[in-house]
Amino acid sequence: MPDKADLHILLANPRGFCAGVDRAIEIVEKALQKYGAPVYVRHEIVHNKFVVDRLRDMGAVFVDELDAVPDGVPVIFSAHGVPKSVPQNAEQRALHYLDATCPLVSKVHREAERHHGEGKHILLIGHAGHPEVVGTMGQLPEGSMTLIETEDDARSIEVSDPENIAFVTQTTLSLDDTAKMIAILQERFPAISVPKKEDICYATTNRQHAVKMIAERADAILVLGAPNSSNSNRLVEVAKREGCAISVLVERARDIDWDKLADIKTLGITAGASAPEVLVEEVIDACKERFNVSVETITLTDENVTFKLPRELAS
């Protein structure tokens, strides 16, 4: 049997779960402990099949809409946030609900409401159809907000009152792409109101900067995350933009195309904010089966953010 080739792994830090994801998962776990199964969850609590499957095994039932939730059982809203119509419908049915919306997403909701209350039209930078965007647009009456997805959108958008507009953003976007769109909007509309604090969340920001650090040295990068995870897909884009052409998104070790890594000497590994560390360890173990592996952790910063649970689950 031929000797294994050497493989040096660059492990990005921070990676994986953020405080909002930790909180959302804990809300489901504690609700199951307190109320017993089943506990219903509207949409995936976070965008990760491994996490969703584990919670399903514990007794969580995932549904697309409240119509599928029977009377008399608790229901949890996902970390991405929901339109105002969802809790209103739950209240009309006297459903007991818990809101697992990430507090940093809720901050964007409150910003949008404040701007709307001041009579401003709002431009939302984000991806059409993403649950967070659907939830943010659903905070205000229809027509109060316009979605900006691309630089072309930013250049072509027409507003009726350029002196009375504001922008907010999805929390999981590419920092670089968003900065370009914001610059275009500010050049076109000098009076546009800006968020008091960056809307793109600390975890998205940190993970993108960390992947830039490893992309400088890596021959290839694996990003652990789900295909529908916005922040994970952005990590792949950032890595490619930094010059690491072989940058791919994988859900599990079993998804790795080992032929692509056959001649790789240095492999970067990171994980999106909804990917658990156990999947990173699984990938490293799979590498060790095929290579003589050495691991180097590249640390941008150590995160210590935590968010409180809803009062009824905090005890």
Side-chain angles (χ1 to χ4, degrees), residues 59-260:
V61 179
F62 293 89
V63 297
D64 289 333
E65 295 299 341
L66 288 187
D67 299 352
V69 179
D71 294 336
V73 296
V75 61
I76 298 170
F77 304 148
S78 79
H80 310 101
V82 295
K84 277 191 173 172
S85 59
V86 173
Q88 288 169 356
N89 291 343
E91 286 164 8
Q92 286 169 4
R93 288 185 52 196
L95 289 175
H96 176 57
Y97 67 85
L98 294 159
D99 190 353
T101 300
C102 174
L104 299 179
V105 174
S106 296
K107 176 184 82 73
V108 177
H109 292 179
R110 301 295 80 78
E111 280 177 353
E113 288 181 318
R114 176 173 58 82
H115 290 312
H116 181 66
E118 294 169 353
K120 293 182 171 71
H121 184 77
I122 297 152
L123 306 180
L124 169 61
I125 301 174
H127 298 295
H130 188 278
E132 184 184 328
V133 166
V134 173
T136 299
M137 297 192 84
Q139 300 304 304
L140 302 177
E142 196 167 341
S144 305
M145 204 176 291
T146 302
L147 185 63
I148 304 288
E149 291 192 86
T150 64
E151 290 178 48
D152 285 343
D153 290 345
R155 289 190 192 94
S156 62
I157 183 71
E158 297 295 337
V159 296
S160 57
D161 185 358
E163 299 300 310
N164 272 305
I165 58 171
F167 78 82
V168 295
T169 84
Q170 186 179 332
T171 64
T172 55
L173 300 177
S174 158
L175 293 166
D176 296 337
D177 289 345
T178 305
K180 291 174 187 173
M181 286 184 263
I182 290 170
I184 293 167
L185 292 174
Q186 289 181 312
E187 183 178 349
R188 292 189 63 211
F189 310 114
I192 194 167
S193 295
V194 304
K196 289 181 179 175
K197 191 176 178 218
E198 180 78 66
D199 283 343
I200 296 176
C201 81
Y202 79 93
T204 297
T205 300
N206 288 346
R207 280 149 191 71
Q208 288 182 24
H209 284 315
V211 87
K212 285 181 181 183
M213 289 172 66
I214 65 172
E216 295 171 358
R217 294 172 53 193
D219 302 316
I221 288 179
L222 299 179
V223 177
L224 275 291
N228 58 342
S229 166
S230 174
N231 78 87
S232 300
N233 279 291
R234 303 295 80 75
L235 290 174
V236 175
E237 293 170 1
V238 168
K240 286 181 177 176
R241 193 172 295 154
E242 291 297 306
C244 189
I246 306 174
S247 298
V248 291
L249 184 70
V250 293
E251 286 194 87
R252 302 285 302 266
R254 64 185 178 222
D255 303 319
I256 296 171
D257 181 349
W258 294 104
D259 290 341
K260 275 190 175 179

Side-chain angles (χ1 to χ4, degrees), residues 271-305:
S274 46
E277 183 63 13
V278 65
L279 299 186
V280 175
E281 294 167 1
E282 179 185 271
V283 166
I284 293 173
D285 287 343
C287 289
K288 287 177 177 176
E289 291 174 8
R290 294 163 175 83
F291 301 93
N292 289 317
V293 169
S294 56
V295 179
E296 178 186 356
T297 299
I298 307 295
T299 298
L300 170 77
T301 185
D302 289 316
E303 294 175 346
N304 56 7
V305 178

